[in-house]
Amino acid sequence: MHSALEQAHQAESLGDVPIGAVIARDGEIIAAAYNRRIIDADPTAHAEMLAIRAASDAIGDWRLTGCTLAVTLEPCPMCAGAIVLARIDRLVYGAADPKAGAVETLYQICSDDRLNHRVEITPGILSEECSRLLTDFFQHQRKMGKK
């Protein structure tokens, strides 16, 4: 999670929402990414999506079995769906997302028995630090008159 937080700080330094993600396999990080929605003007450029693409490129396969994804914020519906589709074995996340969380908060996509893959979920890792980073970012945005 510390590596994911480093990625989140990178996003923040570039003016994007501070969310970071890393994917590890066999104890080694094979992909790292941060939110680039604002930077790339792309609504799908979430840290998780970019990390999944990079990990698939790194191993040459869309199936990310044996991989763990660590992300600073509970994934949204799009990202939770991509995690299932990529066959990621384990998800570790920091802060819960009461507005868009699709892993445990609003929806339970990663553990839905109706889908063909379920993900082991470990929530709340460094949750205070992850939450504080986002809260501070959005407080600053509001002071600057940004949404």
Side-chain angles (χ1 to χ4, degrees), residues 5-86:
L5 275 164
E6 289 174 15
Q7 292 294 311
H9 285 291
Q10 181 70 20
E12 180 183 39
S13 74
L14 297 171
D16 217 314
V17 178
I19 300 170
V22 296
I23 296 179
R25 189 179 209 185
D26 298 326
E28 179 184 337
I29 293 175
I30 61 170
Y34 51 85
N35 253 29
R36 295 185 58 92
R37 288 186 322 165
I38 295 168
I39 297 164
D40 294 349
D42 178 355
T44 68
H46 290 202
E48 302 95 321
M49 299 296 288
L50 299 172
I52 288 169
R53 290 179 193 140
S56 293
D57 284 346
I59 66 170
D61 195 346
W62 64 268
R63 290 177 194 90
L64 298 178
T65 54
C67 290
T68 296
L69 167 64
V71 62
T72 56
L73 181 67
E74 179 182 4
C76 71
M78 174 183 67
C79 294
I83 291 165
V84 170
L85 292 173

Side-chain angles (χ1 to χ4, degrees), residues 97-124:
D97 186 351
K99 294 183 179 180
V103 175
E104 293 184 316
T105 305
L106 297 178
Y107 306 101
Q108 295 77 40
I109 292 172
C110 292
S111 58
D112 191 321
D113 287 336
R114 297 170 295 179
L115 300 176
N116 63 347
H117 179 73
R118 276 155 298 292
V119 180
E120 178 186 338
I121 302 161
T122 305

